[in-house]
Amino acid sequence: MEIPVNGFKRKIATTDVAYGTWLSASSPSTAEALGCAGYDFLVVDMEHSPIEFPQVVEMLRAIAGTPASPVTRVPWNDMVMVKRALDAGAQTLMLPLIQNADEARRAVAYTRYPPDGVRGVAGMQRASRFGMVNDYARRAADELCVIVQIETADALAQLPRIVEVRGVDSVFVGPSDLAASMGHLGDIMHKDVQKSLEQAAQACRRLGVPCGCLGANPEMTRRFRDYGYSWMAMGSDISMMGSRAREWLAEVVPSSAPAANPAGAY
């Protein structure tokens, strides 16, 4: 049996812009429905949602039957979490709060078998299709995609050294945490935050590294696209469901119409 092809890795390497959304609802049905909606990728978020590994496996299975590619965000740059996510079948991993090149090297090492890394070896996990993939251990890295999250001003200053790390395939810039680190908690539209977001995208372009970002709505997503980001998530399953629910309720019960959400909320 052949190793599964990583569609996301190929997409960001060959396409100017890719669009996706966040999955926080722990629901395989929601993941499957959004995978059929036309998105290029879906982020299975283990960091800021109650999604655990049993749900990850079911959500990966659901997405596999759609045109979308899964991206799995683990809760932390942790060897055990990375190992379990990979064994569960994740091929694209997003790792939070990478601050420097050393942390990026550790992140990559967690995804590689010895002698290139420290990933533990198992023979019958879902990643190898339960041992059916020919020579999985030697070929696994070819289809892995490692995304490091840059979420602070200090990390942005280290960006050129971080992306030099062999095995770092892409960068994701987190607007909300970046704003907080700059003293603008909850205000990603602050001019200094927006300037930093634009500079980060331009730096990644110069360095030849695909870079991603998250926009709360279509307007913000278009702004980030214009900054130069090459892949963007737009909102989340929860935010889209809640937004549509409020719109419909407001049409029937006008007094229920909520105040506009601040920019950056999702």
Side-chain angles (χ1 to χ4, degrees):
M1 184 175 184
E2 288 300 311
I3 193 168
V5 170
N6 188 330
F8 179 82
K9 186 174 184 176
R10 283 158 176 73
K11 187 79 173 179
I12 63 173
T14 59
T15 304
D16 286 339
V17 183
Y19 296 99
T21 191
W22 233 251
L23 298 175
S24 303
S26 308
S27 168
S29 293
T30 300
E32 186 176 22
L34 287 174
C36 294
Y39 290 104
D40 297 308
F41 67 91
L42 302 171
V43 179
V44 179
D45 184 15
M46 298 184 71
E47 183 186 9
H48 288 298
S49 82
I51 296 173
E52 298 291 350
F53 283 111
Q55 288 86 25
V56 169
V57 171
E58 295 308 316
M59 292 170 76
L60 293 177
R61 284 178 177 146
I63 297 168
T66 77
S69 296
V71 174
T72 303
R73 178 162 77 167
V74 293
W76 193 242
N77 185 20
D78 174 83
M79 181 171 67
V80 174
M81 286 289 181
V82 169
K83 173 176 61 177
R84 295 193 68 193
L86 293 175
D87 285 351
Q91 290 181 301
T92 298
L93 293 187
M94 185 185 297
L95 298 110
L97 202 64
I98 301 300
Q99 291 286 84
N100 52 53
D102 285 341
E103 292 184 4
R105 287 189 195 94
R106 287 199 294 274
V108 173
Y110 297 157
T111 70
R112 265 58 174 180
Y113 290 118
D116 300 315
V118 294
R119 179 183 174 186
V121 181
M124 303 302 289
Q125 79 279 46
R126 183 173 181 269
S128 67
R129 294 304 183 261
F130 309 100
M132 304 298 178
V133 171
N134 298 323
D135 205 16
Y136 170 80
R138 296 185 186 278
R139 301 166 60 199
D142 294 340
E143 297 299 334
L144 296 183
C145 182
V146 175
I147 304 166
V148 295
Q149 286 189 229
I150 304 298
E151 303 184 81
T152 68
D154 289 343
L156 274 183
Q158 298 294 317
L159 181 61
R161 285 174 281 278
I162 290 173
V163 300
E164 285 178 352
V165 174
R166 184 178 180 184
V168 170
D169 297 292
S170 185
V171 166
F172 175 86
V173 182
S176 296
D177 284 299
L178 177 62
S181 81
M182 297 175 66
H184 304 296
L185 179 64
D187 185 13
I188 75 164
M189 297 306 295
H190 189 281
K191 61 182 180 62
D192 292 340
V193 178
Q194 288 296 308
K195 182 178 179 180
S196 292
L197 288 169
E198 184 175 11
Q199 290 174 339
Q202 293 173 352
C204 286
R205 288 279 182 175
R206 288 194 302 272
L207 295 163
V209 179
C211 57
C213 201
L214 169 63
N217 51 51
E219 179 184 2
M220 194 176 298
T221 302
R222 287 192 293 268
R223 176 193 289 257
F224 292 155
R225 179 190 62 197
D226 293 342
Y227 284 171
Y229 286 95
S230 52
W231 56 276
M232 286 157 292
M234 182 167 55
S236 70
D237 50 2
I238 296 293
S239 70
M240 287 187 282
M241 179 173 62
S243 175
R244 191 62 164 163
R246 290 193 300 270
E247 288 176 8
W248 281 15
L249 183 61
E251 289 186 19
V252 178
V253 187
S255 62
S256 69
N261 284 338
Y266 67 92

